[in-house]
Amino acid sequence: MKKFINQLFIFFAIPILLISLLAAIFIYYISLLSVNCSLPIHITEIYVGDSHIKKAINDSLLTNGKNLGCSAETYYFSYHKIKRILAANDHIEKIYLGFSYHNLSSYFNNFIYGKGAHALTSKYFYMLPLNQKLQLLRWNLAHPRTFFKSIVKAGMHSVKYQPDFEFLGGYDNTFVYLKADTLSINKRIQHQYFNEQKPREFSMFNIQYLKKIISLCEAKNVELTVIKTPSNDLYNVQIPISYLNKYKKILYENKLTQIDLNSFALTDDCFTPDGDHLTKKGAMLTTRNLIKLQTAIIP
Amino acid sequence: MFFNSLDFAVFLPIVFTFYWLINSKNLQIQNAFIVIASYVFYSWWDWRFLALILTSTMVDYAVGRTLYNENNHTKRKALLWCSILVNIGILAVFKYYNFFVENFTAAFSIFGTSMQPNTLNIILPVGISFYTFQTLSYTIDVYNRKLQPTQNFIAFAAFVSFFPQLVAGPIERATHLLPQFLAKRSFNYALAVDGLRQMLWGLFKKVVIADNCAIYVNQIFENTADYSGGTLLVGALFFTLQIYGDFSGYSDMAIGTAKLFGFNLKQNFNFPFFSRNMAEFWRRWHISLSTWFRDYVFIPLGGSKQSKANTIRNIFIVFIVSGFWHGANWTFIIWGGLHALYYVPLLMYKKHLKQPHVVAYGRYLPSIKEGVQILSTFALTVLAFIFFRAENLTHASQYICNIFTKPFLGLAQFNDVVHFKITAVLIVVFIIAEWLGREGQHALDGLGKVGNQPIRYCVYYLIIAIVLLFGKKEEAFIYFQF
């Protein structure tokens, strides 16, 4: 029996030690690579946010701006991403951060440590500082196998495509011939703002990291402007009043400069069925509207 | 609790440690501990159905004891029927009631009689077909005076509920397993190591082969009309590999687990796809069930020692009942019937007799004749398994019809081509490993004889890596539904 236990221990200890060592080297190496996320020198403005930014700002129309939006990106990851980018790029002068009502909802917490978060969050693993890496591991302990698989995949992606790291995101919109649809909008509103017919709580975690982004930009002397990307009217009228108020309060308390792209009228075919993402056509018009606004503000 | 689950990965070491370290000195405590562990294992799925196991255990224990002391033939027969009625009754209610009601209703509707049947809205208790057959065999053996009934209720309860084989076999005989519960067990290093080896191979078969094949099988069988003849054939082929990987994988894990606790269970699969004819296939496929039907149905019916007509009748009865055992659906009955059709000519021409050795014994490759025999037997098996997987008879006949009538070429565009290719490579590796290991109890059996420990360890690590990288997560075992 003693021999059996000893042999079992040796059998498992060898690969565990070996894999741990290799993993540590691999993580260290990719993390070092991720530090070097330098952007072209002419890029002085970056657009950070979730899929709303990713789908809305077509940066091929911008001269000195780059879209770094990532689907389902929470402010926790945006904060670390901005920190990493500012450290590697002295030439960044301005950050446009996507900030809409849905960013306040607790449904966003699912994208950090909820079900399915492991697939979304692995791409950020290597750019996080060590203590946050451990935190991310802890959040994903429920799905160890898929999480480890996806961080290995993300690491390999970094090696292959550096410096186009996955966590940097970018403009991507293939939505054509779609339009806003009442049923999908209602479903989307329910999903984002309600839980069992009651309004969802605010995500204090996301709000906390929004404030951290504001402080970081102040500390680094980088101008921060928040952008509200367009959403369909049918969507807008269904947003709970508590969210509208909270949104205004955050803008006011933090003295945030805001660009509201909702002020430009867009037709239904500029939206995807859910009413809060833009189609390719919508992105084109919105980016042009944004350029108009920027040139109006800075003559 | 599935063998391929995290729950079991925690459960097994705990039970193993307590079993050997704490209870090794007292057999009665050790058996009681097995009973408790087995009931916990079963309760993980649904504790309410423990009542059925307990009923079966108590009835057969009591009947066994009374039978042995009873000399009156009528009373003995009555006692035997009592056990049969209780066990088959449980099966009939939970597994077959709705099937019979629906078919009677359909039959009456042909004659214009409309009926509103009362079907039962109940789920099928996991493993019911396995443990009822196991307890039945005990009573029948006591009735036939082949076995002395045990006086030890705890040992009997452990025999009925032994968790490694409780939910999907092998269906053990009391003559083989019960004495092991009554004898003092000591830890056997070689047996335990071989058990782990067998478990590892079983896990590979289940999560790598069966579960990866299942992805394509489900896709193809659920959209039969959309695919070419060639793809449908791939679907049938993959299902044959899936069911083998799934069920023999479970059996390997069960036998391996039992070895860790010092028990030897019967071999349930003996490389059936290397059989040279259907008779050999049935000596190698689900051995514990086929021998059960041979001993308790075929032989009592007269076996093959009667007229040809009666022998053929007996064969059809055994195979059809065996098919019906798998599930209350006409597809299983036809599957059984097809195998009877395959078997009868062999019996008539006396080609069914046991070959002394596995194919190409002592050689690396089979002869051309053997190769043709293996392939033709496999093809017949694949054809029959279409009925096993199909939703109903119409689906099965449509499937077979489409294989031959639709354009053969043009493999389907699966969503993940890389995954399909990886699955195909893994299947080839699996078949080679099974071929090389066919002279042992399981494919990795021979590895134990390799003196070089680093080579052995490398093979184990490689299999573990494949399981971790390509294995699917906690898919249920097909045979749990039987």
Side-chain angles (χ1 to χ4, degrees), chain A residues 76-119:
Chain A
Y76 167 73
F77 292 113
S78 293
Y79 167 75
H80 290 290
K81 181 161 142 178
I82 291 170
K83 205 172 168 184
R84 179 69 81 203
I85 290 167
L86 292 182
N89 299 276
D90 295 340
H91 49 93
I92 301 297
E93 294 166 4
K94 193 164 185 174
I95 293 173
Y96 290 97
L97 180 70
F99 180 44
S100 300
Y101 302 109
H102 74 280
N103 294 107
L104 302 173
S105 169
S106 59
Y107 100 106
F108 242 71
N109 294 349
N110 289 329
F111 302 145
I112 310 172
Y113 41 72
K115 251 188 195 173
H118 55 281

Side-chain angles (χ1 to χ4, degrees), chain A residues 1 3-4 7-8 10-11 14-15 145 149, chain B residues 20 187 189 196 453 457 460-461 468-469 471:
Chain A
M1 184 68 163
K3 186 183 169 194
F4 182 74
Q7 287 290 317
L8 260 188
I10 293 167
F11 181 77
I14 294 171
R145 212 172 64 137
K149 257 187 187 179
Chain B
W20 286 117
F187 183 78
Y189 176 79
L196 285 179
Q453 194 188 47
Y457 273 31
Y460 301 147
Y461 289 142
L468 291 173
L469 286 172

Side-chain angles (χ1 to χ4, degrees), chain B residues 15-145:
Chain B
V15 174
F16 177 83
T17 310
F18 275 84
Y19 177 82
W20 286 117
L21 297 183
I22 300 173
N23 301 315
S24 63
K25 290 186 181 79
N26 188 320
L27 187 64
Q28 194 71 351
I29 293 176
Q30 220 175 20
N31 286 340
F33 183 71
I34 284 180
V35 174
I36 293 165
S38 300
Y39 286 178
V40 169
F41 178 84
Y42 194 80
S43 307
W44 221 260
W45 173 71
D46 195 329
W47 62 270
R48 292 168 301 176
F49 291 120
L50 272 181
L52 295 179
I53 297 180
L54 272 169
T55 305
S56 200
T57 307
M58 288 192 291
V59 167
D60 284 287
Y61 176 74
V63 167
R65 287 190 63 170
T66 322
L67 257 180
Y68 196 72
N69 298 323
E70 185 60 62
N71 289 319
N72 183 308
H73 186 67
T74 317
K75 282 183 182 172
R76 295 188 84 240
K77 213 156 201 173
L79 282 165
L80 175 68
W81 275 104
C82 170
S83 165
I84 292 173
L85 285 175
V86 168
N87 285 299
I88 301 294
I90 291 172
L91 260 182
V93 171
F94 284 91
K95 194 168 175 177
Y96 300 109
Y97 177 81
N98 287 350
F99 174 81
F100 282 117
V101 167
E102 283 161 13
N103 278 281
F104 274 124
T105 310
F108 276 109
S109 70
I110 294 170
F111 302 107
T113 312
S114 169
M115 289 172 74
Q116 293 296 320
N118 288 322
T119 50
L120 297 174
N121 187 22
I122 46 171
I123 48 170
L124 182 66
V126 163
I128 189 168
S129 309
F130 292 91
Y131 66 76
T132 48
F133 267 46
Q134 187 157 313
T135 50
L136 257 182
S137 75
Y138 167 80
T139 311
I140 297 171
D141 283 352
V142 173
Y143 175 81
N144 289 331
R145 302 223 185 262

